[in-house]
Amino acid sequence: HQDHECFDDNSLTELLASLPKEKGWSSPHLYLYNGFWCPPAHLPGIISANRHFEAQDTDIILATLPKSGTTWLKALVFAITRRQHYALSQHPLLTSNPHDLVPFLHNSIKSSGCRIVHLCRNPHDTFISGWHFFKKARPDDLGPLSLEEAFDMYCRGVFGYGPFWDHLLGYWKESLERPDKVLFLKYEDLKRDTLVHVKRLAAFMGVPFSAEEEREGLIKEISRLCSFSNLKELEVNKTGRSTPFVENKAFFRRGEVGDSVNHLTPEMVELLNKVIEEKLGGSALTF
Ligand code: A3P
């Protein structure tokens, strides 16, 4: 969606001037557009996609908050859906970063019959992953962003495509109402029981693994191809750059569950737990 011709610089300036704004993580500001905090550089794409993009029933859309495992999900979905096309030994994932194989689409998809895979991650780890990532993505002239300041922003919902609770609840509710169209996955489950969830993911996308594929170990091989330890060590992900603002290696930090305890004080953990309880407590969504 490079086609932003309908949205020139003047209309962008005008729009930005009319929106609530807060200090950003890797841009000077984030802007509240349709209830979500968006980086200004993404807005023309978001608006263009809102105006022009029509999902087909056969489309599969991946939905994630930043730092919830988007890169992993892109790799898995690409490997699963294209498994007839590529031998694992000469797979595009061995030489391309997942973001080059599955493009970003900053959009909301309403009334089509397409399938949506949502991957979420516990908010503590998402925050810590985001803090590390945006420190790298943040231009020097914006100055440093302290953990404390970032934490305060996150708890107030000011995070790309946040508030995280509204983002999660939207997909959570849709997944309960339309389970055949919206799959709600958790990073922690995918990490703990990768094979079970990769199998589930394939079935949801309409490309279930056959008994023969399962016997041959294909689920295991695809999971291994897309694993953190494998992707992180590939040359393209060690030295390449797929986006202008960060190197590919920034997308592969630790890939673990629970790393946030190494960075958050017990008070911060408690405070974020309170936010989670207040915002998500009424739902059955837990972490
Ligand atoms: P950490 O910073 O906790 O290590 P996103 O892809 O949405 O930007 O999320 C990035 C997070 O997912 C990072 O978390 C990153 O290390 C982790 N990640 C990337 N690839 C992964 C993979 N194949 N398996 C598990 N985690 C992965």
Side-chain angles (χ1 to χ4, degrees):
H1 284 266
Q2 303 300 324
D3 173 22
H4 306 149
E5 89 294 341
C6 60
F7 210 74
D8 59 33
D9 287 353
N10 284 344
S11 5
L12 180 61
T13 311
E14 241 172 65
L15 173 72
L16 292 182
S18 73
L19 296 177
K21 68 177 176 182
E22 286 270 359
K23 190 173 161 179
W25 289 62
S26 62
S27 55
H29 297 99
L30 284 173
Y31 292 83
L32 190 65
Y33 180 72
N34 282 348
F36 292 93
W37 291 101
C38 303
H42 292 177
L43 270 174
I46 293 170
I47 290 163
S48 171
N50 276 334
R51 287 185 186 165
H52 303 298
F53 180 76
E54 282 182 35
Q56 308 289 304
D57 288 356
T58 49
D59 283 345
I60 295 167
I61 307 290
L62 312 185
T64 55
L65 273 166
K67 315 327 293 173
S68 302
T70 322
T71 316
W72 189 13
L73 185 63
K74 283 186 175 189
L76 280 170
V77 167
F78 185 87
I80 294 171
T81 54
R82 304 291 159 88
R83 65 187 188 271
Q84 305 300 343
H85 302 270
Y86 304 112
L88 291 177
S89 58
Q90 290 176 327
H91 203 279
L93 276 166
L94 297 173
T95 48
S96 302
N97 178 271
H99 294 293
D100 288 330
L101 300 173
V102 183
F104 275 107
L105 172 67
H106 299 287
N107 186 25
S108 73
I109 295 106
K110 289 189 184 128
S111 58
S112 99
C114 71
R115 295 182 178 93
I116 300 177
V117 181
H118 178 84
L119 179 64
C120 79
R121 188 180 192 185
N122 84 65
H124 300 78
D125 287 352
T126 307
F127 166 68
I128 285 301
S129 182
W131 185 62
H132 283 286
F133 180 85
F134 289 111
K135 259 198 309 188
K136 291 186 193 123
R138 195 173 162 86
D140 291 344
D141 59 350
L142 290 185
L145 180 65
S146 74
L147 183 73
E148 290 70 22
E149 191 178 1
F151 184 74
D152 173 66
M153 290 156 74
Y154 189 73
C155 289
R156 288 187 292 113
V158 183
F159 182 66
Y161 303 98
F164 68 81
W165 52 86
D166 284 337
H167 190 118
L168 297 180
L169 278 179
Y171 287 102
W172 172 248
K173 286 183 185 149
E174 280 292 304
S175 74
L176 297 177
E177 279 167 26
R178 302 193 300 144
D180 54 327
K181 295 296 178 201
V182 183
L183 178 68
F184 196 92
L185 284 178
K186 290 182 178 165
Y187 182 97
E188 294 74 22
D189 295 342
L190 196 52
K191 202 68 201 173
R192 193 179 47 239
D193 283 323
T194 307
L195 302 187
V196 168
H197 292 286
V198 166
K199 196 173 159 179
R200 209 177 137 219
L201 175 58
F204 171 80
M205 294 191 295
V207 285
F209 287 100
S210 67
E212 193 186 342
E213 284 178 321
E214 202 170 341
R215 251 196 326 275
E216 285 170 350
L218 190 56
I219 304 181
K220 239 184 226 165
E221 285 184 51
I222 284 182
S223 302
R224 205 200 64 77
L225 171 71
C226 302
S227 68
F228 179 79
S229 52
N230 189 52
L231 294 186
K232 184 185 168 76
E233 293 307 320
L234 295 171
E235 203 49 39
V236 60
N237 294 326
K238 285 210 289 207
T239 57
R241 183 184 275 268
S242 306
T243 56
F245 56 95
V246 278
E247 293 176 282
N248 290 349
K249 65 178 175 211
F251 289 101
F252 306 92
R253 194 181 61 93
R254 298 196 57 174
E256 285 170 9
V257 173
D259 178 49
S260 51
V261 297
N262 300 319
H263 299 277
L264 297 177
T265 63
E267 291 74 31
M268 286 168 144
V269 172
E270 197 179 320
L271 201 83
L272 188 47
N273 281 342
K274 273 202 189 127
V275 174
I276 293 170
E277 175 54 31
E278 185 191 320
K279 303 293 186 184
L280 301 178
S283 74
L285 176 56
T286 53
F287 291 97

